Amino acid sequence: MAAEAAGPGLVPAAAGKVKELALVLQDEARRGGYSSGDTVSGQVLVELAGPLLLRALRLEATGRAWAAWSKASVQVVSARAAGRGVLGPRREAEVRYLDVRQSLLRQPPEGEDGLFLLEAGKHEFPFSFQLPHEPLVTSFSGKYGSIQYCVKAVLERPVVPDQSVKRELQVISHVDVNSPALLIPVLRSQEKMVGCWFFTSGPVSLCAKIERKGYCNEEAIPIYAEIENCSSRLIVPKAAIFQTQTYLASGKTKTFRQMLANVRGNPIASGSTDTWNGKTLKIPPVTPSILNCCIIRVEYSLAVYIHIPGANKLMIELPLVIGTIPCTGFSSRNSSASQFSMDVSWLALTMPEHPEAPPNYADVVSQEEFSRHVPAYSQPVDCEEQLCGHMFAYIQEFRFQPPPLYSEIDPHPTRIEEMQSVSFML
């Protein structure tokens, strides 16, 4: 059995000549996490108190997702009641994402029975490998399973047990909040009748909205809601962020749900309404949404609900996606506010008390231009002779005719007495 490290990347001095066995990763603190296609580099450090024969020094990099739980049957429940604590059948599932093996020692010379000789002192063995280009799943540890990636260095000796040291890799599958599907607003509404049968006191209605579906850690979600209390009871609106873990094994599912953060509104009396105009709820540091694993899913939702005394609560759940790449554009709240201010900016303009009269026709068309475009026609003798002329001539004649004089008095007033309807009572 290999002796595992007591601390991260370090094995204390064991029986024999091995004083220290350590595993160091390069740029681990600066990176914050690895992604698909990244190169993992580092060194395996070995410190010996004297010469040592080794069979092998190998590096193993593994990554897997596993889910497991035990299901209690009727017999199990009765056995537990008797105090025997019998467990039901165990359901398990596993998916592998990474499997890398490397030898960190050169081939031994012939005639040495496949053994390596290391002199006393400190030795460094560098290593480097690349993560698969296929999308990896974010590291996660949950109630009934986990997704883990680790690098392990194993020191094999001829007689004594193996020694090993292990370091965990933090892998992140990036989720871009700027994708169009995560920038759309989410809106839900619901109504509930308080009471039952003939003792109903009235409905309670709730309408909630968030600006977009995708957010990142440490962001504050502005919540917009309208609550109307037509019941006879005092209600209290609340909002909370929930995480739902779903595990799949042997064709069965197991779900675990927990509240991460919540906020409370003011009580609403009977016959009153309340509005949340951007009430904020901050997202705590959580694992990003995991939607690309076939046995483990991690999903989030924003629940806006109303606590009603003596009745079931009225709840609306808005789906959330926790990403890793924050939104770079302006939020919908800022854009909508700026659009609103731009639309109503015309209200600040004051209209003049008296409208300005239009320009005089003589200032627009001079007498010379009028005489140049309109030829002189003799006055027709009678109407019959006038109708026999060309139509174009008459169109040209009225082309530059001035409009009627401007006046604030309507030359054709409408008689109000004639427009009003009259009814008779018999």
Side-chain angles (χ1 to χ4, degrees), residues 51-382:
L52 182 66
L53 286 176
L54 299 179
R55 189 180 301 276
L57 178 60
R58 68 178 185 271
L59 182 80
E60 300 176 356
T62 58
R64 66 165 188 156
W66 65 272
W69 70 89
S70 298
K71 182 179 180 181
S73 60
V74 177
Q75 293 79 8
V76 173
V77 174
S78 61
R80 285 178 177 175
R84 286 178 285 179
V86 179
L87 296 179
R90 184 174 177 82
R91 305 186 184 276
E92 296 182 354
E94 180 179 347
V95 178
R96 290 192 172 270
Y97 296 104
L98 179 64
D99 191 1
V100 176
R101 295 177 182 270
Q102 292 181 358
S103 176
L104 302 182
L105 295 177
R106 296 177 299 174
Q107 294 296 329
E110 297 181 1
E112 295 188 5
D113 299 330
L115 298 179
F116 299 85
L117 177 61
L118 289 182
E119 300 294 338
K122 296 183 179 181
H123 302 269
E124 294 185 2
F125 300 92
F127 65 87
S128 179
F129 63 91
Q130 189 177 23
L131 297 177
H133 289 279
E134 293 79 11
L136 298 176
V137 184
T138 301
S139 301
F140 173 73
S141 180
K143 180 73 173 179
Y144 301 103
S146 65
I147 304 169
Q148 292 182 342
Y149 302 83
C150 65
V151 180
K152 184 178 181 181
V154 182
L155 186 66
E156 295 184 10
R157 289 181 284 178
V159 180
V160 298
D162 299 341
Q163 285 183 242
S164 64
V165 60
K166 182 170 63 175
R167 295 294 302 272
E168 186 175 353
L169 293 179
Q170 292 295 329
V171 175
I172 298 178
S173 179
H174 288 291
V175 179
D176 191 357
V177 174
N178 298 279
S179 61
L182 301 183
L183 293 178
I184 58 176
V186 183
L187 174 66
R188 298 284 188 277
S189 61
Q190 193 174 353
E191 185 178 277
K192 179 182 179 64
M193 183 65 68
V194 179
C196 60
W197 296 95
F198 300 103
F199 303 99
T200 58
S201 63
V204 175
S205 61
L206 171 63
C207 180
K209 173 189 174 183
I210 55 177
E211 298 173 331
R212 47 189 164 95
K213 187 177 180 181
Y215 289 88
C216 293
N217 284 334
E218 304 297 331
E219 275 195 272
I221 305 176
I223 307 172
Y224 300 87
E226 294 182 359
I227 307 103
E228 184 177 3
N229 183 15
C230 295
S231 68
S232 59
R233 306 177 187 181
L234 183 70
I235 62 176
V236 179
K238 301 178 181 180
I241 298 177
F242 286 92
Q243 181 193 70
T244 304
Q245 306 172 14
T246 305
Y247 304 88
L248 176 63
S250 304
K252 302 296 182 179
T253 58
K254 188 76 170 178
T255 303
F256 176 73
R257 180 182 171 95
Q258 60 180 345
M259 180 186 294
L260 303 177
N262 63 341
V263 67
R264 177 190 176 115
N266 299 323
I268 304 175
S270 175
S272 302
T273 61
D274 191 14
T275 301
W276 288 3
N277 190 17
K279 193 177 187 65
T280 58
L281 178 58
K282 188 176 182 179
I283 303 174
V286 293
T287 303
S289 299
I290 300 177
L291 308 175
N292 57 344
C293 181
C294 58
I295 63 173
I296 297 178
R297 289 179 64 89
V298 179
E299 300 171 291
Y300 297 90
S301 62
L302 174 67
V304 182
Y305 56 98
I306 298 177
H307 176 71
I308 307 173
N312 295 330
K313 58 186 176 183
L314 174 63
M315 176 179 288
I316 292 177
E317 287 208 43
L318 308 176
L320 281 178
V321 174
I322 306 299
T324 58
I325 303 176
C327 182
T328 57
F330 294 100
S331 64
S332 58
R333 179 182 181 184
N334 295 336
S335 62
S336 60
S338 61
Q339 181 69 25
F340 177 78
S341 61
M342 181 179 62
D343 292 341
V344 300
S345 60
W346 59 273
L347 293 175
L349 301 178
T350 57
M351 296 296 294
E353 297 181 358
H354 300 284
E356 183 181 359
N360 191 7
Y361 181 78
D363 298 336
V364 179
V365 180
S366 61
Q367 186 66 26
E368 297 180 358
E369 185 178 5
F370 176 77
S371 59
R372 184 169 59 253
H373 288 82
V374 180
Y377 292 94
S378 59
Q379 185 70 19
V381 178
D382 53 7

Side-chain angles (χ1 to χ4, degrees), residues 40-53:
V40 181
S41 302
Q43 300 90 25
V44 176
L45 307 179
V46 180
E47 185 177 358
L48 303 177
L52 182 66
L53 286 176

